[in-house]
Amino acid sequence: MNINRLKTNKGNLIDSICIIKPKVFSDKRGFFYESWNELDFNTNICKRNFCQDNHSKSCKGAIRGIHYQIPPFEQGKLVRCTRGSIFDIAVDLRKYSATYKEWIGIELNDINNSQLWVPEGFGHGFLTLSEDAEVQYKVTKEWNKKSEKSILWNDPDLKIAWPLNNLAKIKPIISTKDSKGMKIREAEKFGFVFE
């Protein structure tokens, strides 16, 4: 496995988040790779226990997020796209961080087989770029309705550069819940960021 650190939209190296590229073995039959190795992850990234695997399917133009959970149910996520292509983002919601309110965006797809580690303290979301996409991710804590929060996907203070021009005139498809997400200023006001 190859691990790379990422830079935010402002060019700052962000701590904790990384992209994981597995070693893929291909031949005329197809391919094989380890999508998860506990020892490698704990040794090279951080020690975490994952409690659940999630799997979603989304149509082209669907935006999911920006989701996160506040303590005591904050979640780390290990995200991969196993069919199609997505633009995956993570937003730093840790007030004490030098990269607070900055974000990273990367394409995950079924060709590069990369995975994004989104640790606790970050919001997460994605835009489906292909006709459809299947996303699978591990989480470190179970879903909790009272702890679940959502930041508005197009919050003007975050200025996330979603690649909407790749959608060929399709308008973003947002759930009712996500369309009612908070702006980052509201999250700060109500104490829904990480201190």
Side-chain angles (χ1 to χ4, degrees):
M1 121 173 114
N2 188 5
I3 302 166
N4 295 311
R5 300 292 174 189
L6 301 169
K7 290 188 177 181
T8 69
N9 56 304
K10 294 186 177 178
N12 298 313
L13 193 63
I14 197 161
D15 68 343
S16 308
I17 289 185
C18 62
I19 190 82
I20 303 164
K21 295 186 178 191
K23 186 171 184 179
V24 180
F25 300 92
S26 299
D27 62 25
K28 62 184 178 183
R29 299 168 299 167
F31 67 83
F32 169 85
Y33 68 92
E34 286 185 354
S35 61
W36 164 246
N37 182 301
E38 182 179 27
L39 180 62
D40 281 351
F41 191 87
N42 289 343
T43 302
N44 298 306
I45 299 171
C46 61
K47 290 191 177 192
R48 290 295 188 278
N49 292 317
F50 292 102
C51 67
Q52 183 174 312
D53 283 6
N54 296 329
H55 189 148
S56 71
K57 182 177 180 182
S58 303
C59 61
K60 187 172 187 173
I63 292 180
R64 293 184 185 259
I66 302 166
H67 301 148
Y68 65 105
Q69 291 189 173
I70 57 173
F73 292 97
E74 64 272 32
Q75 289 181 327
K77 297 178 180 179
L78 183 59
V79 184
R80 64 189 177 124
C81 180
T82 55
R83 178 179 173 187
S85 179
I86 63 169
F87 180 71
D88 204 39
I89 64 104
V91 180
D92 192 344
L93 300 176
R94 305 167 301 164
K95 279 186 95 169
Y96 57 83
S97 170
T99 54
Y100 178 56
K101 296 196 273 189
E102 295 181 29
W103 57 271
I104 61 97
I106 188 161
E107 185 173 342
L108 300 179
N109 59 50
D110 58 9
I111 304 297
N112 64 29
N113 298 309
S114 294
Q115 298 178 54
L116 184 66
W117 165 239
V118 182
E120 301 84 352
F122 289 80
H124 173 257
F126 65 86
L127 165 66
T128 304
L129 301 174
S130 52
E131 288 307 308
D132 60 27
E134 293 191 32
V135 174
Q136 297 182 44
Y137 58 100
K138 297 181 170 301
V139 295
T140 57
K141 289 193 179 166
E142 66 275 8
W143 175 76
N144 181 274
K145 186 173 184 172
K146 290 182 180 178
S147 293
E148 182 184 44
K149 303 299 173 203
S150 183
I151 300 289
L152 194 60
W153 70 278
N154 60 352
D155 184 336
D157 286 338
L158 295 179
K159 298 182 175 107
I160 295 174
W162 298 97
L164 300 175
N165 56 338
N166 292 359
L167 298 181
K169 300 183 181 178
I170 295 173
K171 290 185 179 180
I173 302 165
I174 316 291
S175 72
T176 301
K177 181 179 82 171
D178 287 349
S179 67
K180 295 177 181 177
M182 297 175 288
K183 292 186 178 179
I184 189 70
R185 291 183 187 188
E186 294 173 291
E188 291 171 332
K189 178 181 175 183
F190 295 115
F192 294 155
V193 291
F194 297 84
E195 299 291 338

